Amino acid sequence: MKKLNINFQKMMKLKGTSLVLVGTLLASSLTGCSSNDKCDISFKHAHMYVNEDGYVRYIESEKNEVKGCLRSYKYEEIDEEESKLYKFLNSKGLFRIDENLDLVLAQQEANKDFNIYEYSYLFFIKAFPYTGYSWTNDPNRADLTGETKECHYVYQAYNIVVDERGKYVLVPSEKVTDLTTVMEDYPYIKIEYYKAVDKDGIEVSYDADVPEVTVSAPNISGNSCGCDCGCECSNTLRKTNK
């Protein structure tokens, strides 16, 4: 059986839920199911699986691990319709919010508003200097341009409906700042259920802990390319020019 690598300190910070999950994970070796042995549970059922961050979902499987989730001893009886639903949920990588609410609330609490700061840097193409621009969360860099973005986190949940052909269809919620406001109508989330956006709702990315560097003109002897051949320097120019 695969050795469990559990970050107890991290899990214990998440409002107590982690303690239950740790016990559940440690008990996974006691279940009647495994990837090699026949299951001794006689009725149709789904096991609770737990991923490395402590999020749980039910999967109709006898494997010790499915898509990065480890099986626990816990299970529930399901019928044929629930079996179809679980298969759809897991094909889409969905978790129920109510089964993971403490973790979701802890994550929302941890996701504080923040600022990012534009900085400039020098690079060369064919010995010609260019200025590139990017964003950082470090307000003390010497190469900041003075441009700042205020950022916050938004969240998205999902509902499942049945279309006219009897097929399950995934319906996303609007992006919200608190999942509890929509979880009654949209009870599911994907594992990446939040992202950072600016005040206009545009997703942001930034460099964390990137040191300031001095770039010297490169030796371009024999390099007859320029801007459109797909070389590393031309791609840098397209990505970084302001």
Side-chain angles (χ1 to χ4, degrees), residues 125-126 219-226 229 231 233:
I125 296 178
K126 299 183 72 171
N219 180 359
I220 60 165
S221 176
N223 180 13
S224 60
C225 66
C229 71
C231 65
C233 59

Side-chain angles (χ1 to χ4, degrees), residues 7 28 43 63 72 97 99 104 121 124 145-146 157 200 203:
N7 186 334
S28 63
F43 48 82
K63 293 182 179 180
S72 76
I97 297 174
E99 292 174 346
V104 168
Y121 57 93
F124 289 83
T145 67
D200 297 317
E203 186 173 3

